[in-house]
């Protein structure tokens, strides 16, 4: 833990040096500052994660917003979001609010630590697979995966991932830089064989044990049966009276929404979606 504190402090001190590597617009920085200022007025009982997740509703869904540069940059884009960048921005805002950090520079530092292994901005160090994202953010002390009790965590996922190294043509920056595939393959091999408990989608229910196990503001990672992948979609859990719903950047609805249908109903419309892993923001 002491080593981790020293690491985070060291990375934090590098923020001014790396400021020129950040890609953003004035609209982004103003929005971050406004959101963090508004959060200071929240009641102490307010769920800050759900608050920020709802504040980003309506932002257009755009895929591959991190893949449009010739070189890797820390992209801050609150004008266009995909499911991963949505969750990353919500987490960075939440960490700022929880730790009384109010500057745009603080937000950028958290986003860098969340998105990249050791906060080092490069394509190879970007946490592409969400399983690795969970592991690294757990190491940083930002999140923790929930894998018990059993039930409801009755499923077991064994990783067999190779999608990026098999289909580099789907990743614009990787296609332009084939030398990076070797590093991506090494990362995939390191993850393969690891096992994680999950909740099967047909077992998700509006019962006391589920409301105790999954909390509003948890990150929901939807695992997939698609060959070579670990997850296919992520979002933020939110309980309604009728059951569990998902706040997410939706490619179907083309924007960030609080899904009106139950998560279970939503997943049953997607045969490849197998179940959910639960990640709690600390």
């Amino acid at each position: 833990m002491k080593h981790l504190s020293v690491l985070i402090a060291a990375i934090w001190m590098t923020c001014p040096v790396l400021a020129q590597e950040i890609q953003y617009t004035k609209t982004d920085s103003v929005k971050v500052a406004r959101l963090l200022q508004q959060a200071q007025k929240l009641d102490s009982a307010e769920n800050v994660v759900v608050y920020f997740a709802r504040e980003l509703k309506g932002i257009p869904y755009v895929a591959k917003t991190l893949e449009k540069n010739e070189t890797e940059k820390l992209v801050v884009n609150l004008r266009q979001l995909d499911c991963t960048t949505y969750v990353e921005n919500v987490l960075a805002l939440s960490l700022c609010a929880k730790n009384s950090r109010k500057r745009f520079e603080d937000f950028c530092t958290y986003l860098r630590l969340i998105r990249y292994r050791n906060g080092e901005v490069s394509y190879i160090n970007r946490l592409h697979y969400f399983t690795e994202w969970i592991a690294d953010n757990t190491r940083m002390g930002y999140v923790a995966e929930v894998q018990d009790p059993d039930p409801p965590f009755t499923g077991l996922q064994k990783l067999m991932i190779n999608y990026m190294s098999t289909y580099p043509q789907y990743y614009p920056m990787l296609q332009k830089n084939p030398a990076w595939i070797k590093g991506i393959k090494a990362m995939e091999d390191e993850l393969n064989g690891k096992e994680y408990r999950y909740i099967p989608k047909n077992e998700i229910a509006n019962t006391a044990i589920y409301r105790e196990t999954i909390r509003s503001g948890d990150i929901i990672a939807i695992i997939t049966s698609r060959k070579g992948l670990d997850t296919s979609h992520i979002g933020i859990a939110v309980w309604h009276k009728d059951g569990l719903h998902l706040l997410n950047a939706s490619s179907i609805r083309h924007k960030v929404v609080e899904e009106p249908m139950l998560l279970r109903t939503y997943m049953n419309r997607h045969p490849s979606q197998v179940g959910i892993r639960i990640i709690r923001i600390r």
Side-chain angles (χ1 to χ4, degrees), residues 178-215:
W180 295 349
I181 297 174
K182 182 178 179 180
I184 295 295
K185 181 66 166 60
M187 175 267 293
E188 292 171 337
D189 290 343
E190 189 173 335
L191 291 172
N192 283 333
K194 294 184 178 180
E195 297 180 334
Y196 300 91
R197 303 210 68 82
Y198 70 90
I199 300 172
K201 66 179 180 183
N202 291 327
E203 296 179 16
I204 300 171
N206 187 17
T207 62
I209 188 169
Y210 280 90
R211 284 183 174 266
E212 291 170 5
T213 302
I214 306 170
R215 301 175 187 171

Side-chain angles (χ1 to χ4, degrees), residues 46-84:
E46 182 90 21
N47 187 319
V48 70
V49 177
V50 174
Y51 170 76
F52 285 126
R54 284 176 168 156
E55 284 295 303
L56 300 185
K57 287 198 299 183
I59 294 176
Y61 174 93
V62 177
K64 294 184 169 64
T65 57
L66 306 185
E67 296 281 329
K68 298 181 179 180
N69 293 312
E70 291 299 319
T71 59
E72 188 78 6
K73 295 179 182 293
L74 177 64
V75 175
V76 179
N77 185 350
L78 278 81
R79 295 156 283 111
Q80 303 168 322
L81 297 169
D82 61 27
C83 68
T84 302

